[in-house]
């Protein structure tokens, strides 16, 4: 069975890099450009095995997105990885408190991203 991953990032370049990395690993990548768009895509896709989200985005940031996803009964246990340039411990704690599963700092190592996605989704 092919893993399904939703990746939310306002940077087109980052979305393209994540999509390429995941599809090269045989993972179906669904993309969204901010938290609100991420919620829309989430409604239309099969249940994701994992979600990757940036923190700093317009309209709805990563924290708001994580809160909204965790409020949905069907996604309370879906692994959420934060992929961001932020590395401050306060941001990590805030993300963990909101319900994030893990934290990856940009720029990311493609092999590590795939490994972590497979680890949390499996």
């Amino acid at each position: 069975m092919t893993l399904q991953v939703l990746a939310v990032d306002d940077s087109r370049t980052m979305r393209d890099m994540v999509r390429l990395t995941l599809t090269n690993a045989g993972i179906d990548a669904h993309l969204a450009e901010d938290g609100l768009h991420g919620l829309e895509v989430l409604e239309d896709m099969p249940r994701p095995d994992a979600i990757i989200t940036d923190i700093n985005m317009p309209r709805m940031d990563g924290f708001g997105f994580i809160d909204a996803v965790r409020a949905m009964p069907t996604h309370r246990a879906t692994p959420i990885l934060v992929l961001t340039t932020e590395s401050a411990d306060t941001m990590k704690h805030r993300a963990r408190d909101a319900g994030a599963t893990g934290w990856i700092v940009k720029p990311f190592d493609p092999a590590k991203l795939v490994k972590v996605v497979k680890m949390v989704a499996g």
Side-chain angles (χ1 to χ4, degrees):
M1 188 178 86
T2 305
L3 291 178
Q4 303 282 325
V5 174
L6 170 60
V8 184
D9 199 302
D10 59 319
S11 161
R12 179 190 303 240
T13 304
M14 191 53 61
R15 285 194 308 275
D16 288 346
M17 286 171 57
V18 170
R19 179 182 44 75
L20 191 64
T21 298
L22 296 177
T23 53
N24 284 345
I27 299 169
D28 280 349
H30 301 260
L31 306 174
E33 50 201 48
D34 60 36
L36 286 179
H37 187 220
L39 294 176
E40 291 169 17
V41 173
L42 198 55
E43 281 180 27
D44 295 334
M45 72 179 286
R47 193 164 172 178
D49 296 293
I51 296 170
I52 298 169
T53 184
D54 188 12
I55 290 295
N56 300 310
M57 299 181 287
R59 296 200 315 154
M60 178 187 278
D61 69 8
F63 297 121
F65 176 69
I66 294 168
D67 287 338
V69 170
R70 288 295 181 231
M72 299 176 199
T74 52
H75 298 296
R76 287 215 174 101
T78 303
I80 299 175
L81 297 171
V82 174
L83 179 62
T84 183
T85 55
E86 300 287 348
S87 60
D89 283 342
T90 53
M91 297 288 259
K92 290 179 186 175
H93 289 303
R94 188 170 163 203
R96 217 169 249 120
D97 289 346
T101 310
W103 189 277
I104 301 166
V105 177
K106 295 174 186 173
F108 66 92
D109 174 328
K112 281 186 185 165
L113 180 66
V114 169
K115 182 179 177 186
V116 171
V117 165
K118 287 183 174 178
M119 189 173 71
V120 299

